[in-house]
Amino acid sequence: MVTIHTTSGKRGALTVDFPQQEQDLITGQKPSDHCAVVGVISNEQAYGYLVSSLKSLQHRGQESAGIAAYDGSMMKLKKGMGLVSDVFNEKENPISGNVGIGHTRYSTMGTKTLENAGPFVVSSASGYLAISHNGEITNAEQLSEELKKRGATFSTSSDTEVMLMELSKEIAENGVANGMKIAMSKLKGAYSAAFMIDDRLFAIRDPMGIRPLILGKTGNTYVVASESCVMDVLGGETIRDVLPGEVVEITPIGPKRILIASSRVEAHCMFEYVYFARPDSIIDNIEVFETRIKLGRVLADESMVEADVVIPVPDSGRAQALGYSQRSGIVYSEGLIKNRYSGRTFIMPSQVQRTASIKMKLNAIRSVVEGKRIILVDDSIVRGNTMRHIVMLLRKAGATEVHVRIGSPEIIAPCYFGVDMKTKDQFIARGKTNQEITEEIGADSLAYISIDGLVKSIGMPKQNLCLSCLTGEYPVNIPGEKYLYQKDLTNY
Ligand code: SF4
């Protein structure tokens, strides 16, 4: 057992179980989302629901997993590095309690250590507070300095701990509803969170609604989760999305709104629809799979080329390739096979190993490819290494032409809202012409969907989407970057 820090605790230390396994995790070829969050309140044990929910959200983070639950007198916490199934076993219940939250992480802020893994728990004057957070607080450094001046101490480099300490301070001084309102007016950036005060469970979403968050129900168990696919897995139903700027308390008889921002400018992450979210999820009333099919259709409208077969990059380009095939009338076929047992690219500790791992991961099917003009479809290109390798694979297998079609516009700018695209020089499309990128990946032609085509496919008003990594204009003030809205968005 390890004791974690307390603030002005009204109770003793927490019990925390940290398995001693850590890995050097390295970013892979696709951008990764920050985290998944889940919260459960039930008349049964919350643990099994939490583990199943986290497993169905594993795509949002594979670095660590954690669960905190309140058993009537204590807040218990267990977390570890690795997949949910590495850390938790549904058959055992090491964390009793009817109310709990869970988290899986892929870090974009703070170091990749167990201390920075969620959930975060603190014993405060208001009781035990626990939080699971998806997103990124863009003013975390400034807030942590202010909190330190007022006597707060931090035991990690995570922005989530800053968010928790801010909530802790304001709730202790101003009560639950007012405290949250004040804290949220100070927090900038992206945050969808499951939050607990002892046995009370809350869902919190930032005023721009950058990351998804839904409420659901299965029997007498209420759930808050990053994506609606959780409710299908649990055999329940989605009640609704948590609205941008909303705080909902999830009670044993259902959700109850605590507060909502009086003004908000929505900026839903376009990448959730393009790549991050599970295709079977519905985010802000828009189905992810259907959106990806539409992206493929619009891509075909915008950049048709004569070819014999449409081939997806597995698994990320499948729905877009299907849409492209439907609209173009060109036959769809799997032409690349993915080795599911080759290990995760992102944990490979060197570029050499990562390159070898990519080779191990994909192979071309000669009978589909040989002598054919191919349209190769993927959802996005960030660095371009994988795409270059795939084009080469197809040529080696006998493709006569390879035309690359991408279901998102050129990514040219960093994300500050919880996605691991941080440095400007990593983007293959930044500062290059289409011809230069085409040559770099070795294709015969390359086309990205337009921003208007992307917006049309998602079907949400353009001003309600975050497109910052495509435009370099941000909906919050980021030092050194263009500020899109020129006004404070977090009015409560
Ligand atoms: S910058 Fe890009 S990846 Fe980040 S939240 Fe905005 S749309 Fe999503």
mmCIF file of all heavy atoms in Angstrom, residues 36 39 61 65 87 116 162 192 226 252 332 335 355 372 471 476:
data_model
loop_
_atom_site.group_PDB
_atom_site.id
_atom_site.type_symbol
_atom_site.label_atom_id
_atom_site.label_comp_id
_atom_site.label_asym_id
_atom_site.label_seq_id
_atom_site.Cartn_x
_atom_site.Cartn_y
_atom_site.Cartn_z
ATOM 1 N N ALA A 36 -9.924 7.742 -21.410
ATOM 2 C CA ALA A 36 -11.344 7.419 -21.298
ATOM 3 C C ALA A 36 -11.753 7.601 -19.852
ATOM 4 O O ALA A 36 -10.967 7.322 -18.943
ATOM 5 C CB ALA A 36 -11.584 5.973 -21.713
ATOM 6 N N GLY A 39 -17.952 6.494 -14.915
ATOM 7 C CA GLY A 39 -18.405 6.572 -13.529
ATOM 8 C C GLY A 39 -19.679 5.754 -13.386
ATOM 9 O O GLY A 39 -20.480 5.690 -14.328
ATOM 10 N N GLY A 61 -7.074 4.780 -24.656
ATOM 11 C CA GLY A 61 -5.838 4.877 -23.876
ATOM 12 C C GLY A 61 -5.397 3.510 -23.416
ATOM 13 O O GLY A 61 -6.194 2.768 -22.836
ATOM 14 N N ALA A 65 -4.492 1.977 -16.392
ATOM 15 C CA ALA A 65 -5.919 1.873 -16.053
ATOM 16 C C ALA A 65 -6.062 2.016 -14.542
ATOM 17 O O ALA A 65 -5.170 1.602 -13.786
ATOM 18 C CB ALA A 65 -6.477 0.527 -16.514
ATOM 19 N N VAL A 87 -4.509 -4.981 -15.529
ATOM 20 C CA VAL A 87 -4.605 -4.390 -14.186
ATOM 21 C C VAL A 87 -5.803 -4.942 -13.402
ATOM 22 O O VAL A 87 -5.719 -5.133 -12.187
ATOM 23 C CB VAL A 87 -4.724 -2.841 -14.301
ATOM 24 C CG1 VAL A 87 -4.762 -2.192 -12.915
ATOM 25 C CG2 VAL A 87 -3.574 -2.261 -15.121
ATOM 26 N N ASN A 116 1.087 9.614 -12.476
ATOM 27 C CA ASN A 116 0.265 10.477 -13.319
ATOM 28 C C ASN A 116 -0.954 9.767 -13.888
ATOM 29 O O ASN A 116 -1.739 10.356 -14.623
ATOM 30 C CB ASN A 116 1.104 11.037 -14.467
ATOM 31 C CG ASN A 116 1.968 12.199 -14.016
ATOM 32 O OD1 ASN A 116 1.630 12.879 -13.043
ATOM 33 N ND2 ASN A 116 3.076 12.418 -14.668
ATOM 34 N N VAL A 162 -4.169 19.251 -11.032
ATOM 35 C CA VAL A 162 -4.458 20.688 -10.898
ATOM 36 C C VAL A 162 -5.972 20.905 -10.900
ATOM 37 O O VAL A 162 -6.513 21.654 -10.088
ATOM 38 C CB VAL A 162 -3.789 21.489 -12.041
ATOM 39 C CG1 VAL A 162 -4.167 22.964 -11.960
ATOM 40 C CG2 VAL A 162 -2.278 21.313 -12.006
ATOM 41 N N SER A 192 -13.616 16.565 -20.060
ATOM 42 C CA SER A 192 -14.802 15.757 -19.780
ATOM 43 C C SER A 192 -14.388 14.880 -18.611
ATOM 44 O O SER A 192 -13.345 14.216 -18.680
ATOM 45 C CB SER A 192 -15.179 14.889 -20.978
ATOM 46 O OG SER A 192 -15.870 15.657 -21.928
ATOM 47 N N SER A 226 -17.208 8.130 -21.507
ATOM 48 C CA SER A 226 -16.698 8.910 -22.640
ATOM 49 C C SER A 226 -17.506 8.656 -23.909
ATOM 50 O O SER A 226 -17.688 9.569 -24.715
ATOM 51 C CB SER A 226 -15.231 8.558 -22.918
ATOM 52 O OG SER A 226 -14.425 9.001 -21.883
ATOM 53 N N PRO A 252 -28.864 7.982 -7.286
ATOM 54 C CA PRO A 252 -29.407 6.618 -7.457
ATOM 55 C C PRO A 252 -30.741 6.599 -8.196
ATOM 56 O O PRO A 252 -31.166 5.552 -8.681
ATOM 57 C CB PRO A 252 -29.582 6.134 -6.015
ATOM 58 C CG PRO A 252 -28.646 6.971 -5.211
ATOM 59 C CD PRO A 252 -28.588 8.303 -5.887
ATOM 60 N N TYR A 332 -14.660 -2.483 -53.683
ATOM 61 C CA TYR A 332 -13.915 -2.418 -52.411
ATOM 62 C C TYR A 332 -13.337 -3.785 -52.132
ATOM 63 O O TYR A 332 -14.015 -4.808 -52.288
ATOM 64 C CB TYR A 332 -14.892 -2.031 -51.292
ATOM 65 C CG TYR A 332 -14.377 -2.174 -49.876
ATOM 66 C CD1 TYR A 332 -13.944 -1.053 -49.174
ATOM 67 C CD2 TYR A 332 -14.357 -3.402 -49.224
ATOM 68 C CE1 TYR A 332 -13.491 -1.165 -47.863
ATOM 69 C CE2 TYR A 332 -13.902 -3.521 -47.921
ATOM 70 C CZ TYR A 332 -13.481 -2.398 -47.243
ATOM 71 O OH TYR A 332 -13.039 -2.511 -45.952
ATOM 72 N N GLY A 335 -7.031 -5.458 -49.071
ATOM 73 C CA GLY A 335 -5.813 -5.786 -49.813
ATOM 74 C C GLY A 335 -4.599 -5.797 -48.902
ATOM 75 O O GLY A 335 -3.492 -6.116 -49.326
ATOM 76 N N THR A 355 9.886 0.622 -36.807
ATOM 77 C CA THR A 355 9.823 0.358 -38.240
ATOM 78 C C THR A 355 9.659 -1.139 -38.485
ATOM 79 O O THR A 355 8.842 -1.570 -39.298
ATOM 80 C CB THR A 355 11.108 0.873 -38.928
ATOM 81 O OG1 THR A 355 11.261 2.232 -38.552
ATOM 82 C CG2 THR A 355 10.996 0.786 -40.437
ATOM 83 N N LYS A 372 -2.972 -4.061 -60.539
ATOM 84 C CA LYS A 372 -4.153 -3.191 -60.319
ATOM 85 C C LYS A 372 -3.758 -1.733 -60.064
ATOM 86 O O LYS A 372 -2.709 -1.453 -59.495
ATOM 87 C CB LYS A 372 -4.957 -3.695 -59.110
ATOM 88 C CG LYS A 372 -5.401 -5.133 -59.194
ATOM 89 C CD LYS A 372 -6.715 -5.245 -59.944
ATOM 90 C CE LYS A 372 -7.143 -6.687 -60.139
ATOM 91 N NZ LYS A 372 -7.028 -7.547 -59.009
ATOM 92 N N THR A 471 -6.345 24.194 -39.030
ATOM 93 C CA THR A 471 -6.300 25.619 -39.381
ATOM 94 C C THR A 471 -5.221 26.393 -38.624
ATOM 95 O O THR A 471 -4.816 27.466 -39.050
ATOM 96 C CB THR A 471 -7.651 26.282 -39.048
ATOM 97 O OG1 THR A 471 -7.865 26.159 -37.625
ATOM 98 C CG2 THR A 471 -8.805 25.622 -39.779
ATOM 99 N N VAL A 476 -9.368 28.648 -27.652
ATOM 100 C CA VAL A 476 -8.934 29.283 -26.395
ATOM 101 C C VAL A 476 -7.581 29.941 -26.644
ATOM 102 O O VAL A 476 -6.880 29.593 -27.583
ATOM 103 C CB VAL A 476 -8.802 28.293 -25.210
ATOM 104 C CG1 VAL A 476 -10.125 27.795 -24.739
ATOM 105 C CG2 VAL A 476 -7.891 27.140 -25.543
#
